[in-house]
């Protein structure tokens, strides 16, 4: 139940300042051109409002009047349906299922590596760097297959993936010659003004665009 929270906008997002999962939702909002109130949160010390609204106290959490959503996939799909333009999912069921599955694999396999590189011990971070390089190498054919990930147009899969690619060099995973195709893919998204709008100041400084 919404308690003490007094939100200025109809749409508000509780978000960490540098979080690959929160960034995913900010990128969906930016791609849609939706204005919203950003409520910065330290995930280790969630504010009382967030504790009241979300039983997991996790970010991202989206609030729209009486609606409270958490889990980046649930929020992203809701936003894509609520703000249909531009669409971030293909129309045919097979392509939609492929994009959902790829996004779920990113949540389960890729995001934990990023989080371990950001806040794990030195040996955990090194193991995650190695695992991340393996994941990138294994997925090279998918990056070669189409302009965006598994799709000719930008989709919710790219909103999950681009925040990961953005952080890699700052986490010690260089996109060198072997991975140039992934660097090129990232650049196609990073050069979009919507991507720049999706970044917090803390995330903006993680990379310099040439
Ligand atoms: N499954 C969640 C995971 C998001 C997540 O990992 N959030 C982190 C911050 S980057 C968090 O809120 N951690 C604190 C907690 O879960 O209590 C989602 O998809 O939204």
């Amino acid at each position: 139940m919404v308690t003490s929270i007094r939100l200025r906008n109809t749409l508000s997002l509780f978000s960490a300042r540098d979080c690959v999962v929160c960034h995913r939702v900010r990128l969906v909002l930016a791609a849609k051109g939706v204005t919203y109130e950003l409520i910065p949160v330290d995930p280790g010390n969630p504010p009382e409002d967030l504790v009241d609204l979300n039983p997991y106290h996790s970010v991202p959490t989206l609030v729209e009047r009486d609606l409270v959503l958490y889990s980046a996939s649930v929020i992203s799909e809701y936003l894509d349906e609520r703000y249909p333009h531009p669409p971030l999912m293909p129309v045919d069921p097979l392509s939609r299922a492929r994009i959902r599955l790829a996004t779920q694999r990113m949540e389960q396999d890729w995001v934990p590596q990023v989080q371990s590189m950001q806040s794990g011990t030195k040996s955990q971070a090194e193991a995650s760097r190695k695992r991340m390089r393996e994941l990138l190498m294994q997925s090279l054919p998918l990056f070669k297959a189409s302009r965006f990930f598994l799709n000719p147009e930008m989709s919710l899969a790219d909103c999950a993936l681009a925040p990961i690619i953005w952080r890699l060099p700052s986490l010690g995973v260089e996109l060198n010659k072997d991975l140039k195709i992934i660097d090129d893919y990232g650049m196609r998204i990073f050069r979009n003004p919507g991507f720049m709008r999706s970044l917090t100041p803390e995330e903006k400084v993680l990379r310099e665009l040439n």
Side-chain angles (χ1 to χ4, degrees), residues 33-99:
V34 176
T35 54
Y36 62 100
E37 179 185 11
L38 181 77
I39 306 171
V41 166
D42 169 4
N45 186 18
E48 204 181 311
D49 288 336
L50 182 59
V51 171
D52 286 345
L53 291 166
N54 171 346
Y56 302 104
H57 313 168
S58 60
V59 285
T61 294
L62 184 85
V63 183
E64 188 185 31
R65 299 191 180 87
D66 287 342
L67 175 72
V68 180
L69 295 177
Y70 35 85
S71 170
S73 289
V74 173
I75 300 173
S76 302
E77 294 220 15
Y78 170 74
L79 290 171
D80 194 40
E81 291 172 3
R82 169 84 173 77
Y83 303 96
H85 299 288
L88 290 175
M89 282 294 266
V91 286
D92 70 291
L94 184 73
S95 306
R96 292 166 75 86
R98 283 193 176 129
I99 283 180

Side-chain angles (χ1 to χ4, degrees), residues 184-202:
D184 293 345
Y185 158 84
M187 287 301 166
R188 279 198 286 283
I189 297 179
F190 304 155
R191 293 195 196 288
N192 183 316
F195 185 85
M196 285 298 142
R197 280 201 307 276
S198 74
L199 295 164
T200 62
E202 290 79 2

